[in-house]
Amino acid sequence: MEKRANFTSKLGIVLASAGSAVGLGNVWRFPTEVGANGGAAFILMYIACVVLLGLPLMVSEFVIGRHTHKNTADAYRQLAPKSGWVFQGYLGVFTSWFILCYYSVVSGWTLKYLLASLSGEVTSTPDSAACFVSFTSSPWAPLVFMVLVLLMCHWVIRRGVQEGIERYSKLMMPLLLLIIAVLVVCSFSMPGSREGLRFLLRPDFSKLTSSVVLSAMGQAFFSLSIAMGCLCTYASYFTDDARLMKTAGSVALIDTTVAVMSGFIIFPAVFSVADVAPDAGPGLVFITLPNVFQIAFGGVPWLGWLFAVMFYLLLLLAALTSMMSIHEPVTAFLLERFRLQRRTAASIVTLSCMAVGVLCSLSFGPLKDVTLLGMTFFDLFDFVSAKLFLPLGGIIIALFVGWKLPRALVQDEVTNRGTLHSPLFPVYLFLVRWVAPAAIGLIFLNELGLFR
Ligand code: PHE
């Protein structure tokens, strides 16, 4: 049998996994949630969720992937043959594919905005809102950009684990981190930025209701790419000397830092421009920020242009590395289960996502009145994957690793067969066995609207 590919270095492992975690969820969704949910109070809650729930689950997925060195579906088949747990393996692969279908729509928008910022359109249009709506609702343009980003992702995945994923993560992630640093400094140096910082850092504990706490958990899971099959697949390429807890810690640290820094970029900038009201959701980065770019650097238009170009490049890089991580689990599954060539497997994934992505993309235009259960295709895909499959997968993974897998197997993986001293192992096991299933169960019920 052909030797299975591995990541070649620890840096590659951390950067590829961090590439998966750092995505649109950090740069656009996190700041919005912080703004809506009480500033620093939400950030504190979020960090608690990352540490107490996100980290243990990430380590659990690493255990499954690294122990089996198989794609997610086959990993569960090996660990619990002919049992109901095998379902989770397929669910992971399917969720990845499903998310890719709509994630690539918004990723396509980031490419469009990068090009539009390069050409100066973003910083010169008088009405950013109208511009955004006319772009997303037109039938062809967003489709073309969706296809383009999928092709970029395909191009990387086709090259394989080392030459593709590892190599490009090592290239894109440092660039992304550098851009973040530059933008934070720029944003802080804007007049009036203090107001934005105050907004971000003043904890408003009165807003900390149970539903906010649960949103923080949901955001933490989505942002860390938990329960989607991708961490498990990436871990199947980890080398035997990779330290699972340490890797998970680094990934969570990078992910959280990028999320908080994105808040530091966006809010001071937005507040430095008094007459621009912060918008929620996609509006924040595609409507509010273009207005900010135009006004904030009043006297010096090229500075606004540069800020815009860097910002959308950052978004595109973040989106691409995350797309790679949800493309790969499906590709790896097809490739290994059906013994296809990587090229063929990757093409099936890319083409099928394009086909289904059309529905998601058109739901902002020609198909906006076509609804299922009261949701457009895009909203339905988002709801089903992020709000149903994600918590469901999270609970199953926690129960599987906490209760089904032999404790010795888990301990062996976490301690690299006893060679590492892991004083935190009992704490980890406690969190996975008790805290995670209970907490995710609550998120699940909350997302389904049972507490409203
Ligand atoms: N974690 C990514 C983000 O923050 C999203 C993602 C989800 C990526 C699931 C891969 C898998 O945007």
Side-chain angles (χ1 to χ4, degrees), residues 57 61 87-88 91 95 99 214 217-219 221-222 225-228 382-399 436-448:
L57 279 171
E61 288 203 54
F87 164 80
Q88 171 56 26
L91 182 69
T95 309
I99 295 184
L214 297 171
M217 282 196 231
Q219 170 65 15
F221 283 9
F222 185 78
S225 313
I226 280 164
M228 318 270 183
D382 182 34
F383 177 81
V384 171
S385 51
K387 305 212 163 144
L388 292 183
F389 290 170
L390 180 147
L392 185 64
I395 294 187
I396 301 178
I397 292 169
L399 295 176
I440 306 167
L442 286 178
I443 307 184
F444 203 13
L445 298 177
N446 178 62
E447 300 281 21
L448 294 180

Side-chain angles (χ1 to χ4, degrees), residues 349-373:
V349 180
T350 306
L351 289 173
S352 59
C353 278
M354 281 178 190
V356 178
V358 169
L359 291 178
C360 298
S361 179
L362 292 183
S363 29
F364 294 90
L367 295 184
K368 73 172 179 302
D369 296 323
V370 182
T371 54
L372 264 173
L373 307 171

Side-chain angles (χ1 to χ4, degrees), residues 20-21 23-26 99 103 222-223 225 228 230 322 325-326:
S20 168
L24 297 172
N26 301 59
I99 295 184
Y103 202 82
F222 185 78
S223 189
S225 313
M228 318 270 183
C230 59
S322 292
S325 79
I326 29 181

